[in-house]
Amino acid sequence: MWYNRIATDISVLPDAIDWFQKQLETAWVETKIIGSIEKNAQELSGVMAYRFGQLQELEAVLKFLNIRYDKIRSDHYRRYLERYQRELSDRSIEKYIDGEDDVITMSTLINEVALVRNKYLALIKGLDVKQFQISNIVRLRIQGMEDAHLDTRG
């Protein structure tokens, strides 16, 4: 959904970041075990698939931004190599490139998307732990500990 829009028009990236952030706000509730264990277990695979799909889309956006970043750096490198009055070392060219406004802007965008991606990785980890805990509770019930219960106050 967002990847194609961003690949077509990068100016929608802030809207995409906001959308993913709002999705995260509601997604954290999905990591809790509230209510029926059976219902939680039943819904978990769908939730995991949906959130993992969002993570993959963020990964694709991040890869796209990194490709654009490399292109911008390459263009600046070529410009400094071909058009600068005196011969510069590779290290000097790299330092000059790091100070270019469009390189800094792209680097900042990549950092913002990486932050959201890392939050999704944490969410996926939370869902994995939820699956593990549900599995443990089911095993306890199988062993006859029927009176084991969860605090459902949230």
Side-chain angles (χ1 to χ4, degrees), residues 96-149:
Y96 285 138
I97 290 171
D98 289 340
E100 294 288 340
D101 289 338
D102 53 349
V103 171
I104 292 169
T105 300
M106 185 59 72
S107 182
T108 303
L109 290 173
I110 289 170
N111 193 45
E112 287 182 43
V113 172
L115 176 63
V116 175
R117 187 259 332 251
N118 291 342
K119 289 179 182 180
Y120 267 88
L121 288 170
L123 174 67
I124 296 298
K125 184 68 175 172
L127 292 171
D128 281 341
V129 170
K130 180 179 180 176
Q131 182 276 329
F132 182 75
Q133 292 298 353
I134 288 172
S135 177
N136 286 341
I137 292 166
V138 169
R139 286 189 193 117
L140 286 173
R141 286 187 177 173
I142 289 171
Q143 295 298 319
M145 296 187 70
E146 303 292 333
D147 58 348
H149 67 281

Side-chain angles (χ1 to χ4, degrees), residues 3-17:
Y3 173 77
N4 291 330
R5 291 175 63 189
I6 292 168
T8 304
D9 179 14
I10 199 166
S11 69
V12 300
L13 184 61
D15 295 334
I17 292 172

Side-chain angles (χ1 to χ4, degrees), residues 53-128:
Q54 289 177 327
L55 173 62
Q56 293 306 302
E57 189 164 20
L58 275 168
E59 292 281 0
V61 168
L62 193 55
K63 180 70 174 174
F64 171 77
L65 292 176
N66 278 312
I67 291 168
R68 292 278 303 262
Y69 177 76
D70 290 344
K71 170 86 168 85
I72 291 169
R73 288 184 63 82
S74 174
D75 290 346
H76 282 295
Y77 189 88
R78 189 177 322 109
R79 185 173 54 99
Y80 279 109
L81 198 59
E82 294 172 355
R83 298 184 188 143
Y84 207 71
Q85 298 291 347
R86 62 185 182 95
E87 188 172 327
L88 296 172
S89 68
D90 286 344
R91 184 71 180 138
S92 296
I93 293 172
E94 292 292 325
K95 286 293 183 186
Y96 285 138
I97 290 171
D98 289 340
E100 294 288 340
D101 289 338
D102 53 349
V103 171
I104 292 169
T105 300
M106 185 59 72
S107 182
T108 303
L109 290 173
I110 289 170
N111 193 45
E112 287 182 43
V113 172
L115 176 63
V116 175
R117 187 259 332 251
N118 291 342
K119 289 179 182 180
Y120 267 88
L121 288 170
L123 174 67
I124 296 298
K125 184 68 175 172
L127 292 171
D128 281 341

